[in-house]
Amino acid sequence: MLFLYLILTLVSPFIYSQNNNNFTIKGELKSKENNESVIGASIYLLNPKDSSIVTGAYSKLVDDKSIFEIKSKAGDFILKITHVTTQEKYLKVKVENDLDLKIIYLNASDFILDDVIVNADKEYMELQLDKRVYNVSQDATNKGRNVSDILDNLPSVSIDAEGQVSLRGSENVRILVDGRVSGLVSRDPENLRMMMGEMVDRVEIITNPSAKYDAEGQVGIINIVLKKEQRKGFNGSSELTTGTPDNYGLTLISNYRDESYNFFTSLGYNYRKYPGYADMQQYFYNDTNKYLTTTKRDQLRGGNRLTLRVGSDFFLNDNNTLTLSGNYSFGVRDNSVDLVYKDFTQSNDLISATSRIDNEDEDSESFEVNLAYNLDFEKKGHNLKITTNFEQDQDLEESMINQKILNISDNNILQQSSNLEFERNQLYQLDYVYPFSKEGKFEAGMKSTLRKIDNDFWFKQQNSEGEFEIIDDFNNNFIYFEDIYAAYLIAGDKLSDFSWQFGLRSEYSDITTELKKTDYSNPRTYFNFFPSAHFSYKVSQLNSIQLSYARRIQRPSFRSLMPISSFSDNRNFWIGNPDLDPEFADSYETGHLFTWEKGSILSSVYYRHSTNIIQRITYLNEDGVTNITPFNIGTRDDLGFEFNFTYAPYKWLNFNTNINTFNVSIDGNSSVSNLNSESWATNLKFNTKIKMFWGIDFSLNYNYRGPMDIPQGKMKDVWLIDFALSKDLLENLTVTATGSDIFSTRMRRMITRDVDYYYNQDFQWRGGLFSLSISYRLNQDKKQAKRSMDSMNDEE
C-alpha cells in the first residue's frame, strides 16, 4: 500500500496541468470598525466574465498582521474577500506586475452576501498546539459515510471491529456532540455507525484538556460539531446516497438567519444492512490432552434510522442570546447471527457440530432538549453562559434463538431473551469569563450532571411442554445512578511570546449500582481534584512550542458494569463487573509546531501514568464456557511520539501524514502472571488529495494499525484503504463516488492465551462499502449577491 501511495505521489504531477502564475498579489486585512486584523479570511481571484474561481488563499497572521498572498498570471480579475464577521468585499485588479494592495478595510457584518457561484472551502485540518480541528465536511471521502467511519480516518483515532473508539491506542476517550454528552453517540458504539456523517461540520481532538472540560476521558476528548449555518438569509443543502451493501440515505439541512434570530434544522434518514463474519479457533488444554473448538459466525445487522435536529438562536439584543435546540432519533433494526460450533477430539476427529441462530429485533428512541443563555458584557471577551440539557433514551432488544445439533433430528432448543435499557441525563452548567488584561482572562464555572440507567434483562428456554421458563442465572434488573458535581477555576495570560494557563477542577461523584432481583447494592462516593497547566512559547513566526499537564479520570462505562446483555453466543459471554472502580491518570505532553507557506509539521511527545486500570480478562468458568470480564488490575504507562505532516506543493496536490509510535507497559495483578505486558506499536495514516482533469477531485486514505502485545495475548496488525472521486455539476450540485475499506481488510485479529486456553480470532463487523452521493446546495440570496457585485462594477 505504501508503494501505491508513492506511485500516486510521483505520477500525480502529470495528471493535472498547473497554470503558469508569475505575479504575486498581496495585502493586509483590517476591520474598519475597530482597526483590528481580520484573520482567516478567504480571498478569491475571480474571472470577471463568469465569476468562476481562478485561484484563492487565506489570510494568515504574520508579525501581528493579517496578510494574504496570491499567485496570479497577468490579466484583469475581481478580488473577493469573505469572512464570517465582515461584509464581503470586491475589488477590481489589473495584474501586470507584482501588486501590493496595502491595507484593505472590511466593514462589520450587518448582512453578509453569499457567493457568486463560489465554494469557499476551509482547510481540512487546522493545527493548533492545544487541539486539532478537522473540517470533515470538506473531505469528499466522507460523503455517504457514517460518523464512525469518519472518525476512523482521523489522525490519532482508531475504531475497532465492534465500533469502540480509541485515541492514541487507548479506549478511555470522552466523546461529545457540540461540547456536551449526547444520546446521539452515548451508551452504544453502534450509535456512531447509525449517525449520518453529512450532519457533521468538524471534529475537534483535544489530547490534554484544560480544567474547563470534564475530567472524564483519560486520554482526551473528541468533540463532534454539527452543522449550523452562519450566513444570513435562507440556506440549505441536501444529500442523497445509495450504495452496496445496502446503504441508502437522505439528509436535509436548512437554516434561516436574520437580525433577530437564527433558525436551524436537519433531518437524516438512512437504511443500512451490513454483513459481517467471524472465524475463531479455541484450544483447550488439560494435563495430557488438547481439544479444539471452531466457531464460524455470519451476521447481518442494520435497519432504519431517523434523526431530527431543530433549534433557534434568539438575538434579544447585541449582548444577549438565547438558544433552544433539540434532537430526536428513532431506529428500527433487525439483526441476525448464525453460529456454527464444531468440537474435535485430540486427534482432530469431529465430535459434534452445533448450529445456533439468533434473530433479534431492536427498537431505539431518544430525545434531547438544550436551553442556553449567553450574555456578552460591554468589555470585549467578558462573557457569561448558562446551559441546561435534558436527555432520555430507550433501547429494546428482543431475540428468538434456535439451537440444534446438526445431523440429529428433533433436538431443537428454543430460547428467548429481552434487554430493555432506559437512560435519563440532566445537565446544569454555568461558565464565566472575565478578561483582566489584553490577553489575560479569568474563567470560572460550575456543572452538575445527573444520570440514571435502568437495564432489565431476562432469558427464557422452552421446556418439554412447550412453555418458556425464566433461567434465573440470566435474569436481573440492573440500575446505575451517577451524579457528578463539579467546579473549576482557570487563569491565563500572554507576556510577549510566552503564554501560560493554570486551572483546577474539583469533582464530587456519587455513584450507586444496584441489582434489584438479587438485592445487591454498591454505593460509592469520592471527591477529587484535577489540576491542569498549559504553557506555550512562540520561538519565531514559524516555530512555537507547548508544554501541558492534566490529571484525568475514567469512570467505568455502563456496559462494563452491567452483568450481561446478550445471549447470542452461549459459549463466549461478555459479563460486566458492577464492583469496578474508576481509573486515574496523570498526562504530560509537549508539542512543537513548525509552519511554512505550503505546509506544517506538528510533533508531540506524550507520557501518561494510569492507576487502577480496567482491563478485559478472558477465563474459563467451571462449565468450560469462555467469559470476558473487566477488572481493575494495576498500573499502565504510555509513552508516545506523534508526528503530523501536511504539505501542499501545488494548488492541486495536498498530502497529510500522521505517525503515532507508542509504548504501553502494564503492571498487572501479581496473582495472575500473564497480565503484565510491554509493547511498542505504530499507527500510520496517509491522505492524498488531487485536483484532476475535468474538475474531478480525487482523495485516497491509507490507514495502518500495527501489532501490539496486550495482557493475555496480542492484537494483530490491520490496514485499510478508502477513496473518493468528486465532481461539481452546475453551480450547486456535486456527485461523489466513495469506497470505504475497498479490500475488506478492516477487522479485529487477535490472540488470547492462558495456561489452559488458546484463542485465535478474526472478526469483521462490516466489509467493504461502495456508495454514490448527490449533494445539492440551496441559497436563495445568490441573485442579491450578483446584483451587489454588478453594482460595484458599475460604480468603478
Side-chain angles (χ1 to χ4, degrees):
M1 292 305 103
L2 286 174
F3 177 76
L4 175 61
Y5 179 83
L6 293 173
I7 289 296
L8 282 171
T9 302
L10 293 173
V11 304
S12 55
F14 303 100
I15 298 177
Y16 185 92
S17 61
Q18 181 74 5
N19 289 332
N20 185 20
N21 297 327
N22 298 318
F23 305 115
T24 299
I25 305 172
K26 67 179 180 178
E28 179 185 353
L29 302 182
K30 284 189 175 184
S31 170
K32 190 174 181 179
E33 182 182 31
N34 54 26
N35 204 42
E36 293 185 355
S37 296
V38 180
I39 304 168
S42 299
I43 299 93
Y44 300 98
L45 203 62
L46 307 179
N47 187 324
K49 295 181 180 180
D50 58 8
S51 301
S52 61
I53 298 177
V54 178
T55 185
Y58 295 93
S59 64
K60 299 180 180 180
L61 192 64
V62 179
D63 294 331
D64 295 326
K65 297 178 181 180
S66 179
I67 303 297
F68 71 87
E69 288 189 3
I70 295 181
K71 296 293 184 181
S72 173
K73 61 184 180 181
D76 295 324
F77 303 96
I78 294 172
L79 190 74
K80 175 184 175 182
I81 305 171
T82 67
H83 192 269
V84 294
T85 64
T86 67
Q87 296 181 28
E88 290 181 353
K89 190 171 185 75
Y90 297 92
L91 299 172
K92 285 183 176 180
V93 294
K94 186 177 184 66
V95 181
E96 296 174 331
N97 298 292
D98 290 343
L99 183 60
D100 188 352
L101 298 175
K102 307 297 183 181
I103 299 176
I104 302 173
Y105 289 97
L106 305 177
N107 293 321
S109 176
D110 53 354
F111 66 92
I112 299 178
L113 302 179
D114 251 325
D115 283 5
V116 188
I117 317 175
V118 169
N119 292 326
D121 290 341
K122 302 176 185 177
E123 294 183 11
Y124 174 66
M125 181 174 61
E126 300 172 18
L127 291 176
Q128 302 173 23
L129 280 171
D130 60 339
K131 67 181 176 183
R132 285 166 286 170
V133 180
Y134 296 92
N135 296 301
V136 296
S137 60
Q138 305 296 326
D139 188 351
T141 61
N142 292 328
K143 297 294 182 182
R145 307 177 74 193
N146 60 55
V147 174
S148 180
D149 289 338
I150 290 175
L151 292 180
D152 196 34
N153 265 335
L154 298 182
S156 308
V157 181
S158 58
I159 313 289
D160 68 14
E162 294 179 336
Q164 186 65 49
V165 182
S166 296
L167 180 62
R168 286 179 169 173
S170 173
E171 296 178 357
N172 295 334
V173 57
R174 183 78 150 174
I175 299 178
L176 306 177
V177 176
D178 288 336
R180 61 182 183 272
V181 177
S182 172
L184 293 175
V185 298
S186 65
R187 294 184 298 114
D188 191 341
E190 182 73 5
N191 289 341
L192 287 172
R193 290 193 175 107
M194 298 303 293
M195 185 176 176
M196 300 189 70
E198 177 61 19
M199 302 177 72
V200 179
D201 179 45
R202 63 187 186 274
V203 177
E204 300 173 345
I205 297 179
I206 310 169
T207 55
N208 228 9
S210 71
K212 182 176 181 177
Y213 295 93
D214 290 345
E216 179 83 13
Q218 194 180 77
V219 297
I221 293 172
I222 297 175
N223 184 31
I224 300 168
V225 181
L226 302 181
K227 291 180 178 177
K228 183 177 176 182
E229 185 58 69
Q230 298 297 321
R231 292 176 295 181
K232 290 190 176 181
F234 180 75
N235 303 276
S237 66
S238 61
E239 181 175 280
L240 183 65
T241 299
T242 182
T244 181
D246 293 338
N247 178 33
Y248 309 102
L250 173 65
T251 303
L252 304 173
I253 299 174
S254 64
N255 194 102
Y256 182 80
R257 184 185 183 101
D258 67 8
E259 301 293 337
S260 56
Y261 67 91
N262 176 40
F263 177 77
F264 51 92
T265 182
S266 61
L267 176 68
Y269 167 78
N270 63 71
Y271 173 81
R272 294 186 174 113
K273 274 288 190 178
Y274 294 149
Y277 80 94
D279 187 4
M280 297 171 277
Q281 302 86 39
Q282 295 170 285
Y283 294 90
F284 304 94
Y285 304 95
N286 57 28
D287 294 337
T288 57
N289 299 318
K290 178 176 74 173
Y291 302 94
L292 169 65
T293 293
T294 64
T295 303
K296 299 286 186 180
R297 176 188 179 110
D298 291 300
Q299 66 180 37
L300 185 63
R301 299 184 61 88
N304 299 278
R305 175 74 171 249
L306 178 72
T307 302
L308 173 66
R309 178 175 180 253
V310 61
S312 183
D313 301 313
F314 299 96
F315 308 120
L316 306 180
N317 53 41
D318 291 341
N319 301 96
N320 293 268
T321 302
L322 187 68
T323 300
L324 177 64
S325 63
N327 299 316
Y328 175 77
S329 180
F330 178 74
V332 177
R333 288 176 278 184
D334 55 286
N335 309 315
S336 64
V337 177
D338 188 350
L339 292 161
V340 176
Y341 308 106
K342 291 184 178 181
D343 301 304
F344 297 87
T345 65
Q346 185 175 0
S347 55
N348 285 332
D349 295 325
L350 181 64
I351 301 174
S352 65
T354 303
S355 169
R356 185 175 177 85
I357 300 174
D358 179 0
N359 292 308
E360 177 191 80
D361 294 324
E362 180 179 1
D363 296 336
S364 61
E365 184 177 27
S366 69
F367 74 89
E368 180 180 349
V369 178
N370 177 264
L371 179 64
Y373 168 70
N374 188 82
L375 170 61
D376 291 320
F377 296 93
E378 294 301 324
K379 187 175 183 179
K380 184 179 179 181
H382 191 190
N383 176 267
L384 174 68
K385 185 172 183 179
I386 301 173
T387 304
T388 63
N389 193 77
F390 178 84
E391 173 198 342
Q392 187 167 292
D393 314 295
Q394 181 171 296
D395 188 275
L396 175 62
E397 300 168 346
E398 295 181 314
S399 288
M400 177 63 74
I401 303 169
N402 186 351
Q403 178 175 305
K404 63 180 179 180
I405 301 175
L406 300 179
N407 300 324
I408 300 179
S409 59
D410 300 327
N411 69 96
N412 283 19
I413 299 175
L414 297 181
Q415 299 168 332
Q416 295 176 342
S417 70
S418 174
N419 186 43
L420 176 61
E421 182 179 315
F422 173 84
E423 179 175 359
R424 177 180 293 145
N425 287 288
Q426 300 173 65
L427 178 148
Y428 307 94
Q429 184 171 346
L430 181 147
D431 298 288
Y432 175 74
V433 180
Y434 177 76
F436 57 81
S437 68
K438 182 180 179 180
E439 300 287 348
K441 61 182 178 179
F442 168 80
E443 299 179 65
M446 298 183 295
K447 182 177 182 180
S448 298
T449 55
L450 312 176
R451 185 185 188 197
K452 177 187 177 181
I453 301 178
D454 190 334
N455 187 268
D456 193 1
F457 180 85
W458 55 256
F459 175 74
K460 297 179 180 180
Q461 183 165 306
Q462 190 179 52
N463 60 23
S464 58
E465 299 176 356
E467 298 178 349
F468 284 90
E469 296 179 333
I470 289 283
I471 306 299
D472 290 335
D473 289 343
F474 302 100
N475 175 35
N476 220 319
N477 182 198
F478 175 70
I479 300 180
Y480 176 70
F481 297 94
E482 180 186 87
D483 296 341
I484 300 172
Y485 306 92
Y488 70 88
L489 296 172
I490 297 176
D493 200 356
K494 182 178 181 181
L495 305 174
S496 185
D497 294 325
F498 176 74
S499 300
W500 60 269
Q501 182 194 84
F502 292 100
L504 180 64
R505 186 181 187 90
S506 63
E507 290 190 353
Y508 175 79
S509 304
D510 184 358
I511 296 176
T512 301
T513 53
E514 296 179 355
L515 297 174
K516 285 294 187 182
K517 295 176 183 178
T518 55
D519 198 26
Y520 168 89
S521 180
N522 183 11
R524 282 159 289 174
T525 61
Y526 38 92
F527 181 77
N528 304 104
F529 288 103
F530 300 94
S532 67
H534 293 75
F535 307 95
S536 65
Y537 180 68
K538 187 177 181 181
V539 180
S540 66
Q541 199 61 44
L542 302 179
N543 289 271
S544 54
I545 58 175
Q546 186 193 52
L547 178 67
S548 63
Y549 162 79
R551 182 165 173 80
R552 310 288 294 167
I553 187 175
Q554 186 68 39
R555 298 178 183 90
S557 67
F558 164 67
R559 293 199 175 276
S560 295
L561 298 166
M562 186 170 56
I564 192 168
S565 61
S566 175
F567 211 80
S568 291
D569 186 349
N570 65 344
R571 297 196 184 189
N572 298 277
F573 281 114
W574 168 266
I575 299 178
N577 180 358
D579 294 324
L580 286 175
D581 292 319
E583 301 181 33
F584 292 92
D586 292 287
S587 179
Y588 307 83
E589 182 171 349
T590 181
H592 172 253
L593 177 60
F594 173 68
T595 60
W596 68 99
E597 181 181 2
K598 294 185 178 181
S600 62
I601 298 176
L602 177 65
S603 54
S604 302
V605 180
Y606 60 91
Y607 170 74
R608 187 171 55 252
H609 175 71
S610 306
T611 59
N612 214 31
I613 66 168
I614 299 172
Q615 182 70 38
R616 302 171 188 174
I617 304 301
T618 302
Y619 60 96
L620 299 179
N621 65 16
E622 59 274 11
D623 298 322
V625 174
T626 302
N627 290 343
I628 304 173
T629 302
F631 292 96
N632 295 108
I633 67 165
T635 63
R636 169 172 169 158
D637 291 282
D638 294 71
L639 175 64
F641 307 89
E642 186 171 26
F643 301 92
N644 202 96
F645 172 70
T646 60
Y647 183 51
Y650 307 103
K651 297 288 186 183
W652 51 270
L653 180 62
N654 180 276
F655 298 103
N656 178 263
T657 301
N658 177 264
I659 303 175
N660 182 31
T661 298
F662 56 97
N663 175 271
V664 178
S665 177
I666 295 177
D667 185 4
N669 192 325
S670 59
S671 63
V672 185
S673 59
N674 63 350
L675 293 189
N676 297 336
S677 69
E678 182 174 1
S679 177
W680 282 94
T682 298
N683 297 340
L684 301 95
K685 294 190 178 184
F686 298 100
N687 173 267
T688 302
K689 296 181 181 180
I690 304 171
K691 291 183 180 295
M692 299 170 61
F693 44 79
W694 301 322
I696 297 175
D697 292 336
F698 172 73
S699 299
L700 178 73
N701 293 330
Y702 172 72
N703 189 342
Y704 173 78
R705 295 195 289 271
M708 178 179 174
D709 292 333
I710 58 176
Q712 291 190 298
K714 180 177 184 177
M715 299 294 296
K716 300 179 182 179
D717 62 335
V718 176
W719 63 270
L720 59 102
I721 289 180
D722 303 330
F723 80 89
L725 290 168
S726 179
K727 166 72 175 175
D728 288 336
L729 303 177
L730 305 177
E731 63 179 57
N732 286 333
L733 193 67
T734 302
V735 177
T736 305
T738 61
S740 301
D741 187 18
I742 59 177
F743 297 109
S744 293
T745 53
R746 175 181 175 179
M747 63 181 67
R748 182 180 65 204
R749 304 168 59 239
M750 65 179 298
I751 295 171
T752 305
R753 46 181 173 256
D754 207 339
V755 177
D756 54 356
Y757 177 84
Y758 181 89
Y759 177 31
N760 183 73
Q761 179 195 63
D762 292 339
F763 175 46
Q764 184 172 77
W765 188 272
R766 187 205 73 193
L769 173 67
F770 297 87
S771 63
L772 180 69
S773 299
I774 300 176
S775 303
Y776 179 75
R777 299 169 298 280
L778 175 65
N779 193 317
Q780 296 180 349
D781 288 333
K782 287 179 183 275
K783 293 181 180 179
Q784 180 184 2
K786 185 69 169 68
R787 287 196 301 269
S788 299
M789 185 173 175
D790 291 340
S791 175
M792 179 271 298
N793 290 337
D794 292 340
E795 291 175 0
E796 297 188 4

